[in-house]
Amino acid sequence: MKKLILALPIIALAACGEEPAPKPAPTEVVAPEPTPSAPAPDQELFAELYAAACPDNEAVNESICKRAMGADTVSCEFSLGDDEYMRNDATLELDESGEAWAIADVEAVCTQ
């Protein structure tokens, strides 16, 4: 009987158990807005942009365009006509839509 009296509080506590923990409130995950991105400009694209911007100049012979990581502009060096040396430079920037490249400061680039 003594054992039963001693065990009674333990049995009562075991019967109560623990209340289940409240479920955590779901948090809203905000997805980052997609930023439009134009493809990397290559020699063909730069030649097309230059021909459209400077129709009276010679055609682009060769070009190299470089974009720093995360930059909104691209730096291009290019040669015109039969010139084998890339003596000219231009900067490309994204247009308002962010999906196409355009030559920045067209007047300066066309008068080089």
Side-chain angles (χ1 to χ4, degrees):
M1 178 91 164
K2 284 186 178 183
K3 290 183 183 180
L4 182 61
I5 294 175
L6 292 175
L8 201 55
I10 296 173
I11 294 172
L13 286 175
C16 292
E18 292 184 22
E19 291 184 26
K23 293 182 181 178
T27 58
E28 290 184 30
V29 177
V30 179
E33 290 185 32
T35 55
S37 179
D42 57 5
Q43 183 169 334
E44 182 180 338
L45 176 64
F46 180 77
E48 290 174 12
L49 291 173
Y50 186 82
C54 311
D56 297 333
N57 291 3
E58 293 183 85
V60 172
N61 179 29
E62 190 174 346
S63 67
I64 296 177
C65 295
K66 300 174 186 175
R67 181 178 184 184
M69 190 179 295
D72 292 335
T73 60
V74 175
S75 176
C76 298
E77 296 178 349
F78 62 98
S79 62
L80 298 173
D82 294 331
D83 193 359
E84 63 184 74
Y85 300 104
M86 292 186 271
R87 304 173 197 269
N88 305 300
D89 59 348
T91 300
L92 302 181
E93 59 188 6
L94 291 171
D95 64 1
E96 293 82 26
S97 69
E99 297 177 2
W101 294 105
I103 296 178
D105 198 9
V106 174
E107 289 182 20
V109 172
C110 291
T111 58
Q112 289 184 23

